[in-house]
Amino acid sequence: MINRKLRLVNLGLAGILLFSVVLLLYIADLLPMSPKLEIEKNEDNVLPSIQKLHSLTHQELAMLYHRYINTVQALCKRVVRIGNLGDGGWELCEDIEFRPKHPCLVYSFGINNDFSFDDMMADRFKCDVYSFDPSMKETLEGPRGPRQWFYRSGLSERTETFQNEWQVSTLKDLQEKHGHAKVKIDILKIDVEKFEWLALTQIYESGGLKNIRQLLIELHMGMRGVEAEKLEYIQGLGILKHLYDNGFRIVYSHRNIWCKFLSKLQHIDEVGCHELTFVYIP
């Protein structure tokens, strides 16, 4: 009888110990939990149809756009900054479900002579990092290190050469050129001064979204210091809707004050540039 009670006590203690270990692992982010359980249930996450967007006023569109991109849609417990603390650094989600694991691939568009993000991705995660910027004419193309490459190319909706001799390409064409047509991109970073909207449209239409795990991007709406036109808001919200409908959730949003302007539509100070981190949740 005493032995039976001791066994029951031991089983109870073992159960408590197991529960404690699981809880500690979860808190430390070492135990994967379904990211779907982390999604914030918020009506601000859901954008109306394209047809409905066209029926909204300019003011309603502006309010909807700024509310949407400032709303975190899924919880990332470990958002870390990669690269410089100032310009050049970016936030990514390092939760175990989304953390890049070797072998991993990074495409980074828009360098502006600052490789701090790209170099840290190669050093910290052992990823192959491909950096692109058509404006860096003094920088040699090709390998920069054992896992780093640089090319003078930009990102856009089509592959072409501009009058200033800048070359731009679609993401699909660059992936094929560098042998990554069938390889998933763990981190896609885009900072291309308004060309992101054209590039995102092409990526969506070509089916490329399904091959991206995290998207780090600066979105530019309107010109610096000037409110965006109504059609710009409609197009931007339409693209954001495509991202959401294809499983991309905002886990980090930062307002870039260098793009600050007085919104005559909302009668408040707003910014036209936002740095966002999206994760793909199947």
Side-chain angles (χ1 to χ4, degrees):
M1 183 69 175
I2 294 176
N3 290 337
R4 185 170 180 272
K5 288 183 177 180
L6 286 174
R7 285 197 297 273
L8 290 174
V9 169
N10 289 335
L11 286 173
L13 291 173
I16 293 172
L17 179 60
L18 178 60
F19 176 78
S20 300
V21 170
V22 171
L23 182 61
L24 287 171
L25 287 173
Y26 176 68
I27 293 173
D29 201 27
L30 296 176
L31 183 69
M33 296 289 182
S34 172
K36 293 182 180 179
L37 300 179
E38 306 288 1
I39 298 175
E40 300 289 342
K41 301 298 183 182
N42 192 324
E43 63 180 9
D44 289 341
N45 295 350
V46 181
L47 290 171
S49 66
I50 302 298
Q51 183 178 4
K52 175 65 175 178
L53 288 174
H54 279 277
S55 71
L56 299 179
T57 66
H58 197 175
Q59 183 182 37
E60 289 171 331
L61 289 164
M63 293 176 65
L64 177 60
Y65 174 84
H66 289 284
R67 183 174 69 243
Y68 185 86
I69 59 175
N70 284 295
T71 301
V72 171
Q73 300 167 341
L75 175 63
C76 175
K77 303 186 192 71
R78 186 172 171 79
V79 176
V80 297
R81 189 164 182 85
I82 304 298
N84 289 335
L85 292 177
D87 285 345
W90 291 79
E91 272 70 22
L92 65 77
C93 182
E94 210 182 35
D95 286 0
I96 194 167
E97 301 94 336
F98 307 111
R99 189 180 195 274
K101 301 175 182 64
H102 179 76
C104 45
L105 178 63
V106 177
Y107 268 42
S108 176
F109 293 92
I111 310 303
N112 194 24
N113 297 295
D114 185 345
F115 287 99
S116 61
F117 169 81
D118 307 64
D119 291 345
M120 193 169 178
M121 287 301 304
D123 294 340
R124 179 168 179 160
F125 300 105
K126 311 304 179 189
C127 292
D128 288 341
V129 181
Y130 286 75
S131 309
F132 304 90
D133 194 317
S135 70
M136 295 169 56
K137 295 183 178 181
E138 304 301 320
T139 304
L140 294 177
E141 289 191 308
R144 296 182 52 250
R147 297 186 182 91
Q148 296 121 293
W149 293 262
F150 171 76
Y151 297 96
R152 288 192 295 272
S153 179
L155 185 67
S156 189
E157 63 179 336
R158 64 174 63 92
T159 297
E160 60 182 336
T161 301
F162 293 161
Q163 289 184 349
N164 62 1
E165 298 184 353
W166 284 12
Q167 293 182 350
V168 296
S169 297
T170 65
L171 180 63
K172 182 179 180 181
D173 285 350
L174 287 171
Q175 286 178 276
E176 291 176 351
K177 178 179 179 179
H178 297 291
H180 302 138
K182 297 182 179 180
V183 180
K184 288 189 178 296
I185 298 177
D186 291 88
I187 305 293
L188 175 60
K189 189 218 84 181
I190 302 176
D191 185 6
V192 291
E193 306 301 326
K194 295 200 74 171
F195 278 88
E196 68 273 6
W197 298 112
L198 298 174
L200 285 173
T201 300
Q202 192 282 327
I203 293 170
Y204 162 71
E205 291 178 348
S206 66
L209 289 177
K210 66 179 182 296
N211 294 319
I212 300 166
R213 292 195 170 101
Q214 284 197 57
L215 172 63
L216 285 51
I217 188 167
E218 182 167 48
L219 296 179
H220 303 80
M221 182 56 66
M223 301 299 291
R224 182 168 294 183
V226 180
E227 182 90 52
E229 297 293 333
K230 180 178 179 179
L231 184 58
E232 287 184 87
Y233 279 125
I234 292 173
Q235 292 171 337
L237 286 164
I239 293 170
L240 289 169
K241 178 174 174 58
H242 287 321
L243 286 173
Y244 187 90
D245 291 346
N246 282 272
F248 284 86
R249 301 292 183 266
I250 299 171
V251 296
Y252 174 84
S253 177
H254 171 71
R255 292 156 53 93
N256 188 335
I257 61 173
W258 293 106
C259 301
K260 183 178 177 181
F261 67 93
L262 176 62
S263 174
K264 295 180 180 179
L265 295 172
Q266 303 182 75
H267 308 291
I268 57 173
D269 285 335
E270 269 295 1
V271 297
C273 309
H274 292 77
E275 297 164 9
L276 302 173
T277 300
F278 293 83
V279 296
Y280 171 68
I281 300 177

